[in-house]
């Protein structure tokens, strides 16, 4: 099963797309999300249906991003642009994680 995973800034903003996006890729279920949640470093804010939503500190989330994120084709999210955003993201920022089932 494949999932689309999006990491974004400003989780209180309704739209997580656009300039708030830090990372976007498709992969299997990110087990590190479960590990961070079990350690009390992530809060699940939605679990009733997809997308699954989580919140946590950039200092906990950003080091967990896989080195080889296979992005879905996108006009606005080049790997270089997203890496620039990650590089300047404050480590004390609260981030959101959005996970969609891509069956």
């Amino acid at each position: 099963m494949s999932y689309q995973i999006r990491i974004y800034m400003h989780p209180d903003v309704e739209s997580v797309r656009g300039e708030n996006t830090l990372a976007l890729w498709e992969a299997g279920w990110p087990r590190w999300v479960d590990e961070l949640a079990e350690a009390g470093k992530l809060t699940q804010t939605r679990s009733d249906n997809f997308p699954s939503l989580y919140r946590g500190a950039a200092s906990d989330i950003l080091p967990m991003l896989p080195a080889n994120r296979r992005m879905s084709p996108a006009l606005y999210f080049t790997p270089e642009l997203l890496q620039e955003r990650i590089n300047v993201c404050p480590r004390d920022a609260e981030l959101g994680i959005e996970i969609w089932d891509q069956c």
Side-chain angles (χ1 to χ4, degrees), residues 75-87:
L75 297 174
Y76 306 107
F77 302 117
T78 66
E80 297 80 14
L81 170 67
L82 296 179
Q83 189 59 54
E84 286 178 21
R85 291 179 184 176
I86 290 170
N87 292 344

Side-chain angles (χ1 to χ4, degrees), residues 20-34:
N20 291 332
T21 298
L22 296 176
L24 171 67
W25 73 99
E26 288 184 22
W29 182 264
R31 292 188 180 151
W32 56 267
V33 168
D34 296 331

Side-chain angles (χ1 to χ4, degrees), residues 49-93:
N49 206 344
F50 283 101
S52 293
L53 300 176
Y54 298 84
R55 297 171 84 132
S59 60
D60 294 321
I61 296 170
L62 295 181
M64 304 304 286
L65 298 182
N68 297 315
R69 297 182 294 274
R70 292 176 300 174
M71 280 186 42
S72 55
L75 297 174
Y76 306 107
F77 302 117
T78 66
E80 297 80 14
L81 170 67
L82 296 179
Q83 189 59 54
E84 286 178 21
R85 291 179 184 176
I86 290 170
N87 292 344
V88 299
C89 178
R91 295 308 183 234
D92 63 347

